[in-house]
Amino acid sequence: EPGAGSDAAAARTTARRDGNDWILNGEKIWITNGGMADFFTVFAKTPDVQTGGKAALTAFVVTRDLPGVSTGPHEDKMGIRASSTTTVRMDEVRVPGDHVLGGVGQGFKAAMKILNSGRTGLGGGAVFPIALAVIADLYPPEERAARERIAMQRSPTLWSSAFRLSK
């Protein structure tokens, strides 16, 4: 959310009960595949459910076809350009009560599990290219030169891989 980043407790999207349904209001930013997804997992503060004197988070499944759900334009990013990243806005979106995930007020636990596993993956993704660069630098200079040599418009490494695959 704007101003919240990956701080799940700083969410400003709200959900209020209306009979058996929930009414959601708020905006989410940087939503991967937001332009094409048929449903979204939305975390919202539920003021009528308190945890430690504060509104508890609840997770909801929100489908694109619900009145009041809209998405913004595609974000023109520097990287990961193949994924559609947009904003998702909810204006008085009526969500059925059976679209609650994990129980009312239990969204913070789910959000933390998702964010923590995502952070681990991002960390690994950031370290892997560095590790490859360090490993490549460990090769003796003559082997590095052989790997960088171009023969018939291709690296010998590619030719040897193709030969191994053809066996």
Side-chain angles (χ1 to χ4, degrees), residues 124 126-138:
V127 169
F128 185 71
I130 295 168
L132 285 179
V134 169
I135 290 167
D137 203 40
L138 295 176

Side-chain angles (χ1 to χ4, degrees), residues 1-166:
E1 291 190 15
S6 61
D7 180 3
R12 291 189 301 225
T13 297
T14 60
R16 69 178 190 279
R17 284 188 204 264
D18 186 25
N20 290 328
D21 297 338
W22 292 86
I23 308 298
L24 273 65
N25 285 288
E27 182 180 36
K28 304 295 185 175
I29 60 173
W30 298 104
I31 305 303
T32 303
N33 294 323
M36 60 187 72
D38 290 328
F39 64 91
F40 308 97
T41 304
V42 176
F43 294 90
K45 286 193 173 181
T46 46
D48 59 334
V49 179
Q50 301 282 314
T51 301
K54 296 182 180 180
L57 276 182
T58 300
F60 299 89
V61 173
V62 177
T63 57
R64 175 185 295 281
D65 61 347
L66 291 173
V69 175
S70 61
T71 56
H74 174 77
E75 295 287 344
D76 190 22
K77 305 179 301 285
M78 288 178 63
I80 313 176
R81 296 176 61 81
S83 72
S84 168
T85 302
T86 67
T87 58
V88 175
R89 182 156 187 75
M90 289 145 295
D91 292 307
E92 295 293 305
V93 176
R94 180 173 293 275
V95 178
D98 63 356
H99 282 65
V100 171
L101 291 174
V104 174
Q106 299 300 309
F108 187 77
K109 283 182 186 177
M112 293 312 300
K113 283 182 182 178
I114 292 166
L115 287 171
N116 287 338
S117 65
R119 288 175 181 144
T120 303
L122 281 173
V127 169
F128 185 71
I130 295 168
L132 285 179
V134 169
I135 290 167
D137 203 40
L138 295 176
Y139 286 117
E142 61 277 1
E143 189 170 338
R144 280 199 310 268
R147 287 175 178 273
E148 294 167 4
R149 184 175 71 85
I150 302 297
M152 294 182 274
Q153 291 85 35
R154 289 191 169 64
S155 162
T157 307
L158 291 175
W159 285 111
S160 64
S161 298
F163 178 73
R164 275 184 260 142
L165 289 174
S166 67

